[in-house]
Amino acid sequence: MSQVLSEETHRNLLSRIPHCTGREISDWLRTVEDGPALRFEEKVSWLRSEHNLAYGHAQALIHEYDLRRAARKLL
């Protein structure tokens, strides 16, 4: 089960990712898009194992990916 983060915590985690990883959020979102079709927690585990991300960063990226994907479907 995924942990629900506040909007502020989510934004703070996202803002730290480029500094911690050396890659922009858009690069990470493309990585998720091109990655395997998995459920939320499985995607988090995939990012952690394949790309050595911290749990919070991986979770924030997958959450952001899902938010943006849902927004595209509404348009």
Side-chain angles (χ1 to χ4, degrees):
M1 178 185 266
S2 65
Q3 176 185 4
V4 177
L5 301 174
S6 71
E7 183 64 26
E8 181 181 1
T9 300
H10 175 69
R11 293 287 158 216
N12 285 337
L13 283 167
L14 283 180
S15 71
R16 291 184 197 129
I17 290 172
H19 174 73
C20 294
T21 66
R23 291 177 61 187
E24 294 299 319
I25 298 300
S26 58
D27 293 337
W28 282 113
L29 295 176
R30 276 191 298 277
T31 298
V32 172
E33 178 73 25
D34 296 339
L38 303 167
R39 292 188 232 179
F40 186 92
E41 285 297 329
E42 293 168 329
K43 287 180 186 179
V44 170
S45 294
W46 173 74
L47 281 177
R48 293 183 72 208
S49 65
E50 292 295 317
H51 299 282
N52 202 28
L53 285 177
Y55 179 78
H57 291 159
Q59 184 182 30
L61 282 169
I62 300 303
H63 181 65
E64 185 68 16
Y65 173 79
D66 287 347
L67 288 174
R68 291 183 187 197
R69 193 173 107 226
R72 285 192 308 256
K73 286 185 177 180
L74 292 175
L75 297 178

